[in-house]
Amino acid sequence: QVQLAESGGGVVRPGDSLRLSCAASGDTFREYAVAWFGQAPGKDGEFVAAVRLSGGNSIHADSVKGRFTISRNNARNTVYLQMNSLKPEDSAMYYCAAKKGAIWSALRTQSTYNYWGQGTQVTVSS
């Protein structure tokens, strides 16, 4: 069992930065893969980025490459999403999700993950 708690969302202007955090508790977090998904109102959730906590290999959606970076601090059981050069279309509720032993080819798929946080809202508006 893993419990996830996101934080760091807010209201920012285009071009600003935010850092989201996903803090985990309850299990050996190092054995998990963790992803961020963003869901805008009326839309399906979209994959943003994922990282394997053992080894640190990561992947990012094409829409955020060069702007967002996922990272992890295993000692703190925390995964981060650094969001730079934010755009209005990045506005969404951002959720972190975790899966023990997830395979690489499945990291972009929501159904891969069986633990989810409550989400943190990011709004980008001028």
Side-chain angles (χ1 to χ4, degrees), residues 1-107:
Q1 284 277 353
V2 168
Q3 293 79 44
L4 304 175
E6 302 95 334
S7 61
V11 180
V12 297
R13 296 185 182 277
D16 284 353
S17 298
L18 281 174
R19 189 176 78 159
L20 307 185
S21 298
C22 174
S25 60
D27 198 353
T28 307
F29 204 41
R30 188 182 301 270
E31 300 175 8
Y32 284 74
V34 175
W36 287 97
F37 290 85
Q39 186 165 21
K43 294 186 178 182
D44 293 334
E46 291 188 356
F47 171 77
V48 176
V51 63
R52 276 184 164 170
L53 299 190
S54 176
N57 293 336
S58 63
I59 53 174
H60 297 77
D62 288 345
S63 60
V64 305
K65 279 182 181 176
R67 298 190 300 122
F68 294 7
T69 303
I70 191 170
S71 62
R72 94 281 194 217
N73 185 324
N74 287 349
R76 295 189 175 187
N77 277 4
T78 302
V79 171
Y80 304 99
L81 184 68
Q82 179 66 44
M83 310 169 80
N84 297 331
S85 301
L86 281 160
K87 304 176 182 179
E89 52 263 43
D90 296 322
S91 297
M93 183 73 80
Y94 284 79
Y95 297 91
C96 68
K99 169 69 175 179
K100 191 170 187 177
I103 61 174
W104 185 256
S105 61
L107 292 181

